[in-house]
Amino acid sequence: MLGNVAIARGFLEAGLQFAAAYPGTPSTEIVEALSTASRVLGGKPYVEWSTNEKVAVEAALGAAIAGVRAVATMKHVGLNVAADPFFSSAYLGVSGALVIVTADDPWMWSSQNEQDNRWYGLHAYVPVIEPTGAQDAKEAARLALSYSEKYKRPFILRTTTRIAHTRVPVDTGEIPLEKLEPQGEFIKDPSKWTLVPQYARRKRLELLDFWDKVSEELADFPLNSVEGSGDIAVVGVGIGYRYAKEAISMLGAQDKITLFKVSTSVPLPRALAEKISSYDTILVIEEGDPVVEMQLKTVLQELGSRARVYGKHGKPLLPRYGELGLEKVVSALSTVLGIEPPTWAKEPPKPSGQKLPPRPPVLCPGCPYRGFFYALRRAVNKLRLKPVYSGDIGCYSLGVNPPFYVQDTIIEMGGSIGAGNGFSHVLRGDRDIVIAIIGDSTFFHSGVPPLINAVYNKAPLLVIVLDNHTTAMTGHQPHPGTGVLAIGEQVEPMSIESVARGVGVEKVLVADPFDVKDSETKLVEALRYVKENKKPAVLVAKGACILVALRTAAKNGIRPVPYRVNLEKCTGCGICYTAFNCPAIYRRPDGKAEIDPALCTGCGVCAEICPFKAFEPVEEPNPEWFKIMRTARPVY
């Protein structure tokens, strides 16, 4: 069972009734699994993909105030978006239960930064529970929901990439089907549910009392344990416990170590910290920042302990960046034991000597963004503009790469339009126009408020919304523009163009990214409008994610027809494999183009951009395919 699926299972076994999320690696599969379960179980529990993480936490908090067992899941940066309601939730508490899952991404395998969200727990006075691996992720989820219900306070369940995406056998328990039906009831009590100053001050004191109480009681948390009776204490936190256990075994140091397994990293239980303080030598192994190590040192200082504490702070034995690894933990433990670490642990693996061809990330063959970016570069050149491209998070962030270079800044979700507001008011000189590029799901996530800001504050910028009818980068989850809910129910889709007009954008255009000429014409019109009127404009480029289109075509028995190069017409100008840069097209030794039929998706855009008409379909294409690649949506 995948770690994320095990977490979903744990929530179900705890009687989960409400789940909300915005997709983001490495958290996405939790709510994907819950939505599948909900479909099978007749809509229980209630599951939704929210427009962003802030809304997800607000929705889950509302349900929990009404007495429901609720969770909100997100990747680590999502908690930044949701920080406002998250901090307030600690003051308010709940009537039912509320667990916020943060999936941290050490070494940024799929993220713009690396952050340890256990700090949020310390900052907001929200307890943090960490599973030590996929095996007990299910149990940690079940306990997190149960403890939240017991204390009537929100809890954080913190995972990291290795836990989220590891597959192991998992023992399962019963799912109490009768408890999954939300039966919310709101009891009016402004003194309890409103954070006006007269009530918030009282709640601040109540929160501090809770923190002292839970700091004592979490020492008996079922997933905490002590193993061995050696003279050296090793504190294994979360997945750090797994690495520690394996390292101790490999070094044959079982008789020298007492291993503390810690799943309640925030707050570090006082009784557990005092027990650890009885050792003279302590090694703390945790993934991320030295959150437990620093709490432990505070307790040791209060107790007047002179124990030597090793970890990531002071004289570090472990790095404060990236994922933990067995070699890092073995090396650190060897130092503490005073032995020479194995060669493989102290020396980084040597390259095999075999050079692999570089494979930079590229847009998929047939991706609608490629044709549109090509048209964008032509439109900008035609008008002799030097724009600032204010970019965003999504597949289209690959536009930062050659040959397009249409992402000058990438900050966070929704940041393209927000930062574009700033650029448009201050840029001088030849950088005379701002183009903000955002995806459809990101537009609904956090693109609307900065667009309103642009209209209201007269920010002259062009906002391009790349609408591929899904949340493509995280695995094709639905959003308000897709017309389908998390559990597959069809609803009326929201129109991006109508939203733009509704907030006051006067110039709204729609382009076909598979039609380069149409895209270029619309882009020229929109850019001229922004330049001449000093007002924002919105251009929506509508074309399906090619992976969804191919899947839809296969289900309908339609075979896309690949293209080939007519070598008699090809002059070797190279536009197709340099300026257009489709991965299915490569350069022959004589400079002429060739198509890899295994990669060609039959989109036909190469035939549009070739000035010599050298690209031809190998047979007459089915017109239905061209409709599908413009309109296909995922089937849930």
Side-chain angles (χ1 to χ4, degrees):
M1 186 179 289
L2 193 70
N4 277 341
V5 177
I7 290 170
R9 177 76 190 200
F11 285 139
L12 290 172
E13 292 182 10
L16 176 71
Q17 297 168 319
F18 185 101
Y22 186 80
T25 304
S27 71
T28 307
E29 295 87 357
I30 300 172
V31 159
E32 283 190 333
L34 289 172
S35 65
T36 300
S38 183
R39 272 177 257 183
V40 173
L41 299 173
K44 299 180 294 183
Y46 172 84
V47 181
E48 72 170 38
W49 290 112
S50 305
T51 50
N52 64 32
E53 298 85 354
K54 179 175 182 286
V55 174
V57 169
E58 290 165 342
L61 176 59
I65 287 174
V68 164
R69 289 183 286 275
V71 301
T73 78
M74 61 205 68
K75 66 181 298 176
H76 61 296
V77 290
L79 195 49
N80 302 336
V81 180
D84 203 357
F86 168 72
F87 275 82
S88 292
S89 73
Y91 278 61
L92 284 172
V94 296
S95 286
L98 174 62
V99 173
I100 295 150
V101 179
T102 169
D104 293 0
D105 186 16
W107 208 229
M108 300 156 281
W109 297 112
S110 184
S111 307
Q112 66 268 41
N113 71 11
E114 179 177 322
Q115 65 186 50
D116 188 332
N117 278 358
R118 294 177 298 176
W119 294 118
Y120 270 110
L122 278 173
H123 195 178
Y125 296 99
V126 175
V128 178
I129 294 174
E130 289 189 72
T132 61
Q135 289 183 341
D136 65 6
K138 178 187 77 75
E139 192 63 11
R142 189 186 69 79
L143 289 168
L145 208 51
S146 300
Y147 271 63
S148 174
E149 189 166 39
K150 172 185 174 184
Y151 289 103
K152 305 299 181 189
R153 296 280 177 180
F155 271 60
I156 288 177
L157 179 67
R158 185 237 189 184
T159 68
T160 53
T161 306
R162 270 329 109 180
I163 297 172
H165 289 163
T166 297
R167 288 184 185 274
V168 297
V170 174
D171 294 330
T172 58
E174 292 293 321
I175 296 176
L177 298 177
E178 72 285 357
K179 292 184 178 180
L180 302 183
E181 177 74 38
Q183 299 287 346
E185 181 183 4
F186 179 69
I187 300 174
K188 186 179 178 67
D189 184 354
S191 70
K192 188 172 184 179
W193 302 123
T194 61
L195 289 179
V196 294
Q198 68 182 104
Y199 302 138
R201 292 181 186 123
R202 187 196 75 217
K203 286 179 172 295
R204 171 72 175 180
L205 300 179
E206 292 173 354
L207 182 59
L208 295 175
D209 287 342
F210 157 73
W211 199 246
D212 292 339
K213 180 181 178 182
V214 81
S215 298
E216 296 294 334
E217 298 185 3
L218 284 179
D220 298 324
F221 190 74
L223 295 181
N224 292 336
S225 63
V226 183
E227 302 170 17
S229 57
D231 295 333
I232 298 173
V234 172
V235 183
V237 186
I239 197 169
Y241 163 78
R242 299 288 169 187
Y243 288 118
K245 193 172 178 66
E246 191 167 350
I248 292 167
S249 175
M250 293 186 74
L251 295 175
Q254 291 90 338
D255 59 336
K256 299 176 182 175
I257 302 293
T258 299
L259 177 59
F260 290 84
K261 177 188 177 192
V262 176
S263 293
T264 52
S265 50
V266 175
L268 179 64
R270 179 78 185 193
L272 192 58
E274 291 180 355
K275 190 178 294 184
I276 296 170
S277 71
S278 64
Y279 292 79
D280 294 330
T281 304
I282 303 166
L283 172 63
V284 182
I285 301 171
E286 54 190 323
E287 193 160 66
D289 293 332
V291 174
V292 166
E293 182 184 343
M294 294 178 76
Q295 292 180 83
L296 179 61
K297 285 179 174 175
T298 300
V299 174
L300 295 179
Q301 186 178 34
E302 291 172 0
L303 296 173
S305 169
R306 300 180 64 83
R308 291 167 297 177
V309 181
Y310 301 96
K312 299 187 170 192
H313 185 253
K315 296 180 180 178
L317 297 181
L318 292 162
R320 292 182 64 168
Y321 58 88
E323 291 188 279
L324 285 176
L326 186 58
E327 74 284 356
K328 297 173 185 174
V329 176
V330 166
S331 177
L333 184 58
S334 297
T335 301
V336 172
L337 290 168
I339 62 175
E340 189 70 13
T343 303
W344 59 267
K346 64 180 181 181
E347 295 179 1
K350 295 181 180 177
S352 65
Q354 187 174 13
K355 289 187 177 180
L356 298 175
R359 294 191 299 173
V362 295
L363 298 168
C364 302
C367 174
Y369 301 161
R370 173 173 289 98
F372 188 81
F373 285 162
Y374 181 82
L376 176 57
R377 295 293 302 188
R378 285 178 59 89
V380 165
N381 293 337
K382 186 174 186 177
L383 297 176
R384 300 179 183 279
L385 300 175
K386 291 185 177 178
V388 170
Y389 295 101
S390 187
D392 222 301
I393 305 291
C395 300
Y396 42 91
S397 63
L398 295 172
V400 71
N401 294 323
F404 302 116
Y405 302 111
V406 290
Q407 303 273 291
D408 292 323
T409 61
I410 299 175
I411 303 172
E412 30 74 61
M413 290 193 72
S416 58
I417 306 177
N421 272 265
F423 285 130
S424 67
H425 287 298
V426 302
L427 287 175
R428 298 292 183 270
D430 60 356
R431 289 281 188 174
D432 54 359
I433 194 165
V434 176
I435 299 176
I437 301 175
I438 192 169
D440 45 345
S441 187
T442 309
F443 177 79
F444 287 111
H445 176 278
S446 49
V448 177
L451 181 60
I452 293 172
N453 190 73
V455 174
Y456 184 73
N457 291 298
K458 301 178 181 178
L461 79 165
L462 171 59
V463 175
I464 294 172
V465 185
L466 298 171
D467 180 6
N468 62 6
H469 318 315
T470 187
T471 312
M473 197 167 189
T474 51
H476 301 127
Q477 293 77 25
H479 61 65
T482 61
V484 63
L485 302 181
I487 59 173
E489 180 183 344
Q490 300 295 311
V491 295
E492 187 66 26
M494 291 189 183
S495 158
I496 294 170
E497 307 91 275
S498 297
V499 172
R501 292 190 186 97
V503 302
V505 180
E506 297 172 4
K507 187 73 170 179
V508 179
L509 298 168
V510 176
D512 178 358
F514 290 111
D515 185 333
V516 174
K517 188 174 181 181
D518 176 72
S519 296
E520 184 180 335
T521 301
K522 302 285 177 56
L523 282 162
V524 168
E525 182 181 349
L527 288 166
R528 280 179 172 156
Y529 173 86
V530 174
K531 289 281 290 181
E532 293 169 4
N533 296 276
K534 303 299 181 187
K535 292 181 179 179
V538 170
L539 191 156
V540 186
K542 292 178 173 292
C545 171
I546 200 67
L547 300 179
V548 175
L550 290 169
R551 196 180 307 148
T552 304
K555 286 183 178 178
N556 289 280
I558 295 170
R559 184 176 61 86
V561 174
Y563 280 61
R564 64 187 171 196
V565 179
N566 185 329
L567 296 177
E568 292 185 359
K569 293 182 179 179
C570 180
T571 65
C573 68
I575 289 176
C576 55
Y577 55 73
T578 56
F580 186 58
N581 198 33
C582 176
I585 305 173
Y586 60 91
R587 181 184 186 277
R588 287 163 43 107
D590 61 1
K592 294 187 178 185
E594 189 72 77
I595 286 183
D596 183 345
L599 293 178
C600 181
T601 59
C603 71
V605 179
C606 55
E608 289 185 56
I609 58 102
C610 178
F612 305 101
K613 307 300 179 187
F615 290 91
E616 304 165 343
V618 298
E619 60 186 70
E620 189 64 27
N622 187 332
E624 285 299 312
W625 164 238
F626 294 113
K627 292 180 183 176
I628 288 173
M629 69 184 199
R630 288 170 168 81
T631 60
R633 286 169 164 74
V635 176
Y636 302 95

